[in-house]
């Protein structure tokens, strides 16, 4: 027996493409927060709940865990590129944005450890591509004579070293350790915060 709608019953409005973009952004924000708290193995259902959408909506946008994680990482790298392209920016400011992402996302730290030294063995192509984009964004502001410019690999080695120091159960502890690592390397870092155009 099929159920017929009564005249006074209303279905929720369908916002179409606007809802799709809003849902995708909510899923990425929820995934970033949950991955920072609990790591990449968190059930996808928890991410859907945090975003306020059903699992069907999650799977329409991100058919598997890897595509969702990649979308979060893509957004992280995009923010660093935006920070590097902003007027009046310098290497310290871009490193501040990079450091914020390091303290927020263990998955992001993984791409910063991608094998950019030449052999590329065992490094997923997406991780290598994202790592290279981060390097290009930072190099745009790396002045001659800067301590991270002495040798071609110094920049990414230093970032990998700082990433290795980013440990601790709270974001504050991870940030404190990241800043201590930059200080020990003798590198000035601007305010640790996300890029907000």
């Amino acid at each position: 027996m099929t159920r017929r709608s009564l005249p006074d019953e209303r279905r929720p409005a369908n916002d179409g493409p606007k809802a799709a973009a809003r849902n995708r952004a909510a899923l990425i924000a929820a995934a970033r927060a949950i991955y920072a708290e609990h790591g990449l193995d968190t059930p996808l259902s928890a991410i859907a709940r945090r975003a306020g959408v059903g699992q069907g909506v999650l799977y329409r946008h991100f058919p598997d865990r890897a595509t969702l994680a990649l979308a979060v990482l893509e957004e992280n790298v995009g923010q660093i590129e935006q920070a590097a392209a902003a007027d009046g920016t310098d290497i310290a400011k871009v490193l501040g944005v990079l450091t914020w992402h390091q303290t927020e996302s263990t998955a992001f730290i993984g791409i910063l450890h991608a094998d950019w030294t030449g052999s590329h063995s065992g490094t997923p192509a997406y991780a290598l591509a994202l790592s290279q984009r981060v390097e290009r964004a930072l190099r745009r502001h790396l002045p001659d004579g800067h301590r991270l410019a002495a040798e071609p690999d110094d920049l990414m080695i230093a970032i990998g070293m700082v990433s290795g120091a980013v440990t601790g159960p709270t974001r504050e502890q991870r940030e404190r350790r990241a800043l201590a690592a930059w200080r020990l390397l003798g590198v000035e870092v601007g305010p640790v915060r996300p890029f907000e155009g």
Side-chain angles (χ1 to χ4, degrees), residues 92-113:
K93 290 177 186 174
V94 183
L95 286 174
V97 174
L98 170 89
T99 303
W100 185 84
H101 285 289
Q102 288 174 307
T103 62
E104 286 291 313
S105 173
T106 57
F108 182 65
I109 287 173
I111 69 155
L112 296 176
H113 285 284

Side-chain angles (χ1 to χ4, degrees), residues 76-102:
N76 292 348
V77 172
Q79 275 200 16
I80 292 164
E81 289 172 328
Q82 290 172 10
D87 289 338
T89 199
D90 60 18
I91 189 66
K93 290 177 186 174
V94 183
L95 286 174
V97 174
L98 170 89
T99 303
W100 185 84
H101 285 289
Q102 288 174 307

Side-chain angles (χ1 to χ4, degrees), residues 97-178:
V97 174
L98 170 89
T99 303
W100 185 84
H101 285 289
Q102 288 174 307
T103 62
E104 286 291 313
S105 173
T106 57
F108 182 65
I109 287 173
I111 69 155
L112 296 176
H113 285 284
D115 182 4
W116 22 256
T117 57
S119 70
H120 311 311
S121 61
T123 303
Y126 75 86
L128 185 62
L130 291 173
S131 177
Q132 289 170 339
R133 286 173 52 193
V134 168
E135 182 179 14
R136 278 193 303 273
L138 291 167
R139 282 207 185 279
R140 290 179 54 192
H141 297 285
L142 196 60
D144 291 338
H146 191 280
R147 68 183 315 115
L148 296 179
E151 296 290 332
D153 292 337
D154 285 358
L155 173 64
M156 294 309 284
I157 288 171
I159 290 170
M161 291 168 68
V162 172
S163 294
V166 179
T167 60
T170 67
R171 194 200 165 290
E172 291 75 22
Q173 286 174 318
R174 293 188 301 269
E175 181 177 324
R176 190 168 47 251
R177 289 180 59 91

Side-chain angles (χ1 to χ4, degrees), residues 25-106:
L27 285 163
I28 291 172
R32 174 179 287 114
I34 286 181
Y35 289 161
E37 294 168 18
H38 306 289
L40 291 174
D41 294 330
T42 302
L44 293 178
S45 59
I47 293 169
R49 267 193 311 279
R50 170 90 50 109
V53 302
Q55 282 190 248
V57 171
L58 182 144
Y59 287 114
R60 256 194 310 281
H61 288 282
F62 305 106
D64 55 38
R65 185 178 303 281
T67 56
L68 179 55
L70 185 57
V72 172
L73 296 172
E74 176 69 38
E75 194 171 278
N76 292 348
V77 172
Q79 275 200 16
I80 292 164
E81 289 172 328
Q82 290 172 10
D87 289 338
T89 199
D90 60 18
I91 189 66
K93 290 177 186 174
V94 183
L95 286 174
V97 174
L98 170 89
T99 303
W100 185 84
H101 285 289
Q102 288 174 307
T103 62
E104 286 291 313
S105 173
T106 57

